[in-house]
Amino acid sequence: MAEIIQKDGTWTFDGDALRLTPGREKNVSLLRNTLGELTVPLGALAGISFEQGKKAGRLRLRLRDGADPLLQATGGKLAEPNDPYQLTVESDRYGVAEYIVDEIRDALLLDQVPADPVDGYLLPGPSVPLSVSAGDGTASFDGERVRLEWNWKTEDSKSAAGARSLALSDLATVEWHPAVGLENGYLRFTVRGAETQAPPKYDPNSVELWGFRKDPLMALVAAAVQARLPHPTASPEAVPVKEQPAAIAPEADHDALLRRLRELGELHKEGVLTDEEFALAKQAVLKRM
């Protein structure tokens, strides 16, 4: 096991996963403290780096695209203090940081973990229920519905319609964007069939953010919703199982799936498929059976 303990947090690697625990210092961001401890499976990692500085260095994790709903919902726009995949390292711990980097890189090589995108989330996202007040409203999510409530700072035409309740099944996308310079940020939900280009200030499905302390917490709401939406790589044209044509006899379909399982096993044995790729493909076939 490899471990580095800093004021900014603690990273512990056991060979299969990396556990990220935020520090308890006052300078640790509200988002990281609220998010709490994260367990990142080795298969979700694309790489790790360490950058030395005169007074402090920085460990950075790189996750595979599509592995984490938080990164997916925020589009890589989390500032360094709020990014749970970075750790500030004091100069007297540079050797430990380099050891952590070597251990993780060796494990990635030994397990032959690919760096390409994944087709399913490998991290669960923030737990629910979750409620955050920031900007011109409050966003709450219980796992099935998003509720948006407005405050006295909300634009009149937006608040006149009252609180919003959005079913998860009606949502197409969710996006969080921080306030940058003179441009306000937002938490935006796109409802299928009701897409809009209206600014967040007037959009009843958006919370406008002004760059205050609690703004990053809205990213947690976005991530919790994102984790429960179809993965971005899911094909919208895919035919649901219940709508599959009935022309193929069940026995023939079952035999075809068995053949597919044998093919996958051979590809895994020959080293064409990694353990993770084989497990995912096998699970997909078994679900169809």
Side-chain angles (χ1 to χ4, degrees):
M1 185 177 75
E3 183 176 64
I4 182 168
I5 303 174
Q6 294 289 275
K7 294 178 181 179
D8 195 31
T10 299
W11 286 14
T12 306
F13 180 60
D14 64 5
D16 295 318
L18 182 62
R19 190 169 70 252
L20 314 178
T21 307
R24 297 182 179 180
E25 297 291 316
K26 291 182 179 179
N27 60 346
V28 176
S29 76
L30 183 60
L31 181 146
R32 288 176 58 202
N33 274 323
T34 304
L35 184 59
E37 185 176 281
L38 288 176
T39 299
V40 184
L42 183 65
L45 295 178
I48 182 173
S49 64
F50 176 58
E51 303 163 4
Q52 292 189 14
K54 291 182 178 180
K55 295 183 178 180
R58 187 170 296 275
L59 277 169
R60 298 178 189 269
L61 286 180
R62 184 164 59 89
L63 271 62
R64 297 170 66 186
D65 289 345
D68 179 29
L70 175 62
L71 295 182
Q72 188 69 40
T74 58
K77 300 182 183 71
L78 283 175
E80 283 188 1
N82 297 313
D83 189 343
Y85 303 115
Q86 298 188 35
L87 181 72
T88 301
V89 179
E90 297 169 12
S91 58
D92 62 346
R93 291 292 181 271
Y94 282 1
V96 180
E98 291 170 347
Y99 174 68
I100 286 272
V101 169
D102 289 341
E103 287 291 296
I104 292 176
R105 286 177 176 172
D106 288 347
L108 290 172
L109 287 173
L110 288 173
D111 282 28
Q112 298 182 340
V113 177
D116 54 341
V118 297
D119 57 6
Y121 294 120
L122 301 180
L123 282 88
S127 58
V128 294
L130 186 62
S131 182
V132 176
S133 295
D136 67 352
T138 297
S140 305
F141 181 53
D142 62 5
E144 296 181 357
R145 303 190 74 85
V146 172
R147 182 173 176 80
L148 302 177
E149 300 174 272
W150 313 116
N151 56 38
W152 64 273
K153 295 171 285 187
T154 309
E155 198 276 332
D156 290 344
S157 64
K158 182 175 172 178
S159 62
R164 300 279 290 168
S165 181
L166 308 173
L168 181 67
S169 57
D170 292 335
L171 298 181
T173 62
V174 57
E175 180 186 7
W176 173 88
H177 195 289
V180 179
L182 299 177
E183 180 183 353
N184 291 337
Y186 56 83
L187 169 67
R188 186 193 295 274
F189 299 94
T190 302
V191 178
R192 290 190 183 87
E195 294 80 2
T196 178
Q197 297 297 322
K201 179 177 181 178
Y202 303 101
D203 181 8
N205 296 326
S206 298
V207 176
E208 187 180 33
L209 304 173
W210 300 313
F212 296 143
R213 181 170 177 264
K214 289 189 176 181
D215 282 12
L217 294 184
M218 284 292 186
L220 299 183
V221 178
V225 173
Q226 184 73 59
R228 291 161 177 81
L229 290 176
H231 194 269
T233 60
S235 172
E237 292 81 16
V239 181
V241 174
K242 64 181 180 181
E243 297 177 8
Q244 294 275 346
I248 301 176
E251 295 81 7
D253 188 52
H254 187 269
D255 290 343
L257 293 174
L258 287 176
R259 287 196 299 272
R260 181 57 179 160
L261 279 177
R262 286 194 292 269
E263 292 171 358
L264 290 172
E266 292 172 359
L267 291 172
H268 179 241
K269 186 177 180 181
E270 294 170 1
V272 177
L273 293 178
T274 65
D275 291 344
E276 180 185 351
E277 292 170 333
F278 173 66
L280 289 173
K282 180 181 177 182
Q283 184 180 23
V285 175
L286 291 176
K287 282 184 178 178
R288 290 188 61 190
M289 293 180 68

